[in-house]
Amino acid sequence: MGKIDLFELFKGKESVDGATIAAIYDAHSSAWQILFLFLRRALENGCFAVVTNYSIPLRSFVRRGKSVGLDIRKALEAGKMAIIDVFGSRYAKIPDTLPGVFYLDKVEPETINPKIDMIYCGPLREKLRSGKTLRIIHTLDGAAMMLGEESTLRLLNQTVAVKSVKFPDSVLVIPVNSDMVSRRFVAWVSNLSDYVLLAKSWIREDRIKELLYLIKAPYADFEPAIYSLTVEKGKSRVALERIESSPELRSPTEEER
């Protein structure tokens, strides 16, 4: 069959509009790049992107964008995207504040969603009118570490429900490092999502082996599929090749026994 691009897994615009896409991966997987690929593609297609960052310093986020050829600083300066920097709001705002970056006065589970909604309905209102919007929570495990798993799931439910009414065609991408949260948390996220991508990695002496499982998708003829995942130079960055069989979903330690 040959190698395919990540976005060939999605059957056209109609099946993606309004969808919630979960990208679940383990600690050693390179699938964390998937969210940056979604971000780059959205910007290239003229969508406005909003990233809510819970996980890393803003400068680190900008650097990670470069791994897929994305100049986040340039996109911010051009008004093509916005970042709600919850991580910086909690721990440290960067001194050279970039345009399109928003901070919260306080980070508390009880008030965080209303504060984020005020940014959506205030400074970002005109940008969101087109309906062509990508929203990314970077990352959901980062939010869970900051706010607690129970609070994060309640806030996620609110976010999905409210944004499905206010921004019905927007796409939400929620990356989750499964090694950082409980199985119950991952199960809840999977149940809430329209698409579920699950990446698993195995570290060997001579290489890193990765598989990507497409577990869930919202179209009638969907069948779960398994792909080998490799990271390569070039625009696509993540290359997939469908395979017909794979090891069971066991941890690398278990597989060695």
Side-chain angles (χ1 to χ4, degrees), residues 1-204:
M1 181 178 178
K3 293 182 179 180
I4 65 171
D5 181 84
L6 170 70
F7 296 99
E8 293 182 49
L9 302 184
F10 303 90
K11 285 198 170 183
K13 182 176 182 295
E14 293 75 14
S15 68
V16 177
D17 283 353
T20 297
I21 302 171
I24 302 167
Y25 49 88
D26 59 45
H28 304 294
S29 174
S30 56
W32 60 268
Q33 294 183 74
I34 287 175
L35 75 97
F36 290 97
L37 290 169
F38 268 98
L39 180 55
R40 190 190 71 191
R41 185 178 179 89
L43 297 176
E44 290 173 346
N45 290 338
C47 295
F48 184 74
V50 184
V51 178
T52 308
N53 173 46
Y54 291 91
S55 295
I56 57 177
L58 186 57
R59 286 173 176 165
S60 296
F61 186 81
V62 171
R63 282 194 293 269
R64 292 186 189 186
K66 293 178 181 178
S67 68
V68 300
L70 173 61
D71 190 332
I72 291 173
R73 182 180 290 270
K74 185 176 180 180
L76 287 166
E77 291 172 346
K80 295 181 178 180
M81 67 174 290
I83 298 176
I84 302 172
D85 190 11
V86 183
F87 185 93
S89 300
R90 169 64 73 88
Y91 301 114
K93 299 178 183 179
I94 61 171
D96 56 332
T97 305
L98 289 167
V101 178
F102 299 89
Y103 295 96
L104 309 180
D105 57 351
K106 290 184 180 180
V107 178
E108 300 168 337
E110 298 77 16
T111 60
I112 190 169
N113 268 6
K115 289 177 180 179
I116 291 174
D117 286 342
M118 287 177 66
I119 297 172
Y120 269 81
C121 298
L124 300 183
R125 184 175 181 179
E126 291 302 317
K127 295 286 188 180
L128 298 170
R129 281 188 184 276
S130 69
K132 296 174 62 178
T133 306
L134 173 70
R135 298 177 291 120
I136 295 175
I137 299 175
H138 179 263
T139 56
L140 203 61
D141 53 278
M145 291 293 290
M146 184 182 293
L147 306 172
E149 288 194 7
E150 291 298 326
S151 294
T152 298
L153 291 178
R154 286 196 297 270
L155 293 168
L156 179 63
N157 287 345
Q158 293 173 9
T159 296
V160 171
V162 172
K163 298 299 189 295
S164 68
V165 175
K166 291 186 176 180
F167 310 105
D169 295 327
S170 70
V171 177
L172 175 63
V173 176
I174 43 178
V176 183
N177 185 329
S178 59
D179 287 337
M180 298 288 288
V181 293
S182 68
R183 293 182 64 182
R184 176 180 175 275
F185 187 92
V186 172
W188 190 281
V189 173
S190 298
N191 181 64
L192 191 64
S193 301
D194 300 298
Y195 288 91
V196 177
L197 303 173
L198 174 66
K200 286 283 184 178
S201 65
W202 290 263
I203 297 178
R204 298 287 182 265

